[in-house]
Amino acid sequence: MTTVRDATFELFRRHGMTTMFGNPGSTELPMLAEFPSDFRYVLGLQEAVVVGMADGFAQASGSVTHVNLHTAPGVGNAMGALFNAQANHSPLLVTAGQQVRAQITMQANLTNRDATRVVHPYVKWAFEPPRAADVPAAIAQAIHRASLPPKGPAFVSIPMDDWTQEVADDDVRWSTSRTVTGRAGADPEVVADLARRLESARKPVMVAGPDVDASGAWDLAIALAEKQRLGVWASPAPGGGRLGFPEGHPNFQGTLPPGIGAVASTIEGADLVLVVGSSVFPYYPYIPGPPLPEGCELVAITSDPDEAARAPMGDAVVADVRLTLAALLAEVGEATDREPPTGVGEAPPLEESDPLGAGTVHATLNEVLPDDGIVVLESPTSTMALRNRLRISEPGSYYFCAGGGLGYGLSAGIGVQLAQPDRPVVCVLGEGSVQYAVSGFWTAVAYQVPITFLILRNNEYGILKWFAEFEQVSGAPGLDLPALETAEIARGYGVDVKRVRARDELRDALAAGLSANRPSLVEVDVAPGMSLF
Ligand SMILES: Cc1ncc(C[n+]2csc(CCOP(=O)(O)OP(=O)(O)O)c2C)c(N)n1
């Protein structure tokens, strides 16, 4: 005999899931009892932060990550972050405590009524096991579902009295020792057909999206672009949670704008678009127009059947991005008669200003960030300036929220740094964005996570002012953030902070933060408005 708890922790060990993110309540304590010493519990002080940290950890480690939440209110607080995790294709096992079985029917206090319905739109699967003995199998199933393409959160609600129940070894052995793998390549005929389409196109281009990085296909995307002399665009920034192609490479052409008509005019002249590891496309705002230039075709390779089905134009191949790119690379010939692309050219020179422009801030970051540095970004008005000044060119080096819910950046940054302890992580945030996950500072300090926060302070919700102009909205309230002392708040949580204004001070403070082995924060005043460079 064994207990549900022992069998489940053994299951976690088998999957290498020994880091658990959570915020506990009375209904979760039975799971945490006698917490094994080979496990690490990372405490977050609010559930959106807990899920955001797990999201970053899951993406940066490439493995299913366990988040434990406190019955209905904990899950409720986490919903926005679960929306983000689903958009990020982040493989999460989300568990939540539940009342003891004897008190669920009477709906005693803290009963998670409709436990499986409330999370429904943002998880791949939601389940409450009918018997205590089924808990390990249900959790095993959720782990498999989270890791199968498209990766995403899967949810199990667990009555709190289940953990101490005894089960026969034979009742859990079979279901908890299974391996399920989900990488499937494309039909060779489909690959051959795609290769011929690429070879016979006059001017094919590639659009590289987040799943290139997540599937480990970075080098294959480069090799295919070079062999076929493809100009490569990054998928539009709002949904491009990760980079699929080195932005300093001569084949790189820039980031696609996120509007329907704007995409078509940007790739004018192309006659075939090969989209790799992205939805088609994460558009926003609405800029109507033809979705592609006249006579241009599109083929998307995605591991997500949903992305394939809902694309508004073009063909799609549902298959693992890495395997499909490898097969395509082997199948296509060298495109020696096409002109090789010549890159995006130099960024315009920096303009002097006081306070600094966001582009100058990011150019300064670029001077001090080591080659193996990782950027986690949530600074809406400076997103493109960062991309254009850093031209990140290593895999696994950029994380951005595909879902667009603020609070991801600060939390995910901590998770990414925990998963990649040997690489310097800089988390670049607008001061407004910080506030959605501000208690994450406590976790960074409590676990001595050596992350560097760079806070851009423009005293406003800058991007919303940009949107107000775009949407021709005047007189909207609530777009200014005066007297918000983010550095002082972070100091209260125990972070080493520095407020700077001049470029030299910024460079020194960032360099010091990046070499410190504890969390540090640099808050810099920046000029208001949107910066592209
Ligand atoms: C959870 C959530 N609430 C609200 C928003 C809407 N929103 C998008 S950007 C933004 C302002 C961000 O301000 P800040 O981080 O200071 O960056 P800035 O726009 O000034 O660069 C807001 C409120 C959102 N994306 N997510």
Side-chain angles (χ1 to χ4, degrees):
M1 294 294 265
T2 183
T3 61
V4 167
R5 186 171 57 227
D6 287 349
T8 304
F9 274 75
E10 201 43 47
L11 169 73
F12 292 150
R13 274 190 197 95
R14 218 170 275 144
H15 287 273
M17 296 169 61
T18 53
T19 297
M20 183 187 303
F21 293 85
N23 184 267
S26 50
T27 46
E28 291 68 42
L29 291 177
M31 182 189 81
L32 300 173
E34 311 303 340
F35 198 68
S37 59
D38 57 329
F39 279 67
R40 166 169 67 165
Y41 185 84
V42 180
L43 174 63
L45 304 186
Q46 204 271 2
E47 288 82 356
V49 179
V50 174
V51 172
M53 291 193 297
D55 184 338
F57 188 90
Q59 289 192 68
S61 66
S63 46
V64 181
T65 299
H66 183 192
V67 195
N68 181 244
L69 303 173
H70 178 52
T71 180
V75 171
N77 282 350
M79 287 296 276
L82 285 175
F83 170 86
N84 285 338
Q86 185 188 52
N88 291 332
H89 288 168
S90 227
L92 298 183
L93 163 69
V94 184
T95 56
Q98 170 65 295
Q99 251 299 347
V100 292
R101 286 184 183 269
Q103 297 199 112
I104 293 175
T105 305
M106 68 179 77
Q107 291 184 20
N109 197 18
L110 285 176
T111 299
N112 193 356
R113 290 192 294 147
D114 292 331
T116 58
R117 263 208 316 171
V118 69
V119 286
H120 187 75
Y122 305 137
V123 299
K124 296 174 71 178
W125 189 58
F127 194 68
E128 191 170 271
R131 304 176 305 166
D134 299 323
V135 168
I139 291 180
Q141 198 177 142
I143 293 169
H144 299 314
R145 288 176 187 268
S147 68
L148 287 168
K151 293 178 180 177
F155 175 81
V156 186
S157 163
I158 306 153
M160 59 190 286
D161 51 335
D162 286 2
W163 294 102
T164 50
Q165 299 298 311
E166 296 220 312
V167 279
D169 291 316
D170 261 1
D171 282 349
V172 287
R173 186 161 61 91
W174 299 100
S175 59
T176 57
S177 59
R178 306 175 58 237
T179 302
V180 178
T181 55
R183 273 183 189 265
D187 181 339
E189 273 182 34
V190 170
V191 174
D193 177 58
L194 185 51
R196 302 296 87 78
R197 282 175 83 172
L198 266 179
E199 286 164 350
S200 60
R202 188 180 31 77
K203 190 181 175 202
V205 297
M206 183 195 285
V207 176
D211 203 24
V212 171
D213 199 27
S215 70
W218 186 268
D219 291 340
L220 292 166
I222 297 171
L224 182 66
E226 289 176 350
K227 194 171 185 183
Q228 276 288 299
R229 301 192 171 177
L230 307 172
V232 182
W233 296 89
S235 55
R242 296 171 73 160
L243 302 185
F245 200 80
E247 306 210 324
H249 190 282
N251 287 49
F252 184 65
Q253 304 294 293
T255 303
L256 282 184
I260 297 172
V263 166
S265 52
T266 304
I267 58 169
E268 188 61 53
D271 61 342
L272 177 65
V273 185
L274 178 66
V275 182
V276 189
S278 167
S279 66
V280 178
F281 286 109
Y283 298 119
Y284 191 70
Y286 180 52
I287 303 175
L292 289 173
E294 204 46 51
C296 181
E297 298 179 355
L298 180 146
V299 183
I301 302 169
T302 171
S303 63
D304 182 351
D306 182 69
E307 282 182 356
R310 71 184 147 92
M313 74 287 194
D315 304 328
V317 178
V318 178
D320 180 74
V321 168
R322 180 160 68 83
L323 295 179
T324 309
L325 278 187
L328 189 57
L329 182 65
E331 179 72 29
V332 284
E334 194 117 10
T336 45
D337 49 347
R338 278 187 204 129
E339 283 296 308
T342 53
V344 274
E346 292 292 305
L350 296 169
E351 283 173 21
E352 280 194 25
S353 64
D354 180 26
L356 302 173
T360 306
V361 170
H362 296 321
T364 311
L365 171 62
N366 192 40
E367 288 168 18
V368 293
L369 188 68
D371 288 345
D372 64 343
I374 299 176
V375 173
V376 182
L377 178 62
E378 191 171 282
S379 166
T381 48
S382 83
T383 303
M384 286 317 303
L386 184 137
R387 294 277 287 270
N388 288 327
R389 293 290 170 186
L390 269 72
R391 299 246 176 265
I392 293 169
S393 292
E394 293 298 322
S397 300
Y398 176 84
Y399 297 90
F400 182 91
C401 186
L406 299 179
Y408 165 85
L410 200 164
S411 330
I414 297 167
V416 168
Q417 181 73 86
L418 284 167
Q420 296 284 345
D422 299 327
R423 294 181 63 182
V425 174
V426 60
C427 185
V428 180
L429 306 169
E431 91 268 51
S433 298
V434 169
Q435 316 310 322
Y436 295 79
V438 68
S439 67
F441 286 137
W442 180 87
T443 302
V445 173
Y447 295 83
Q448 289 293 292
V449 183
I451 184 170
T452 305
F453 297 103
L454 169 59
I455 313 301
L456 278 73
R457 175 176 181 163
N458 57 9
N459 300 308
E460 62 179 14
Y461 280 160
I463 194 75
L464 298 188
K465 291 187 178 177
W466 181 89
F467 265 102
E469 243 177 68
F470 178 84
E471 294 172 14
Q472 297 176 340
V473 169
S474 58
L479 306 185
D480 287 302
L481 295 176
L484 180 50
E485 298 299 335
T486 304
E488 291 310 311
I489 298 167
R491 192 198 302 278
Y493 282 106
V495 179
D496 288 345
V497 306
K498 190 112 189 149
R499 271 210 72 184
V500 299
R501 193 168 171 105
R503 190 166 178 195
D504 288 355
E505 290 174 320
L506 172 65
R507 189 184 297 111
D508 293 349
L510 281 174
L514 284 161
S515 58
N517 55 6
R518 46 174 278 114
S520 59
L521 179 147
V522 181
E523 183 184 12
V524 59
D525 295 302
V526 291
M530 173 86 97
S531 302
L532 295 181
F533 284 97

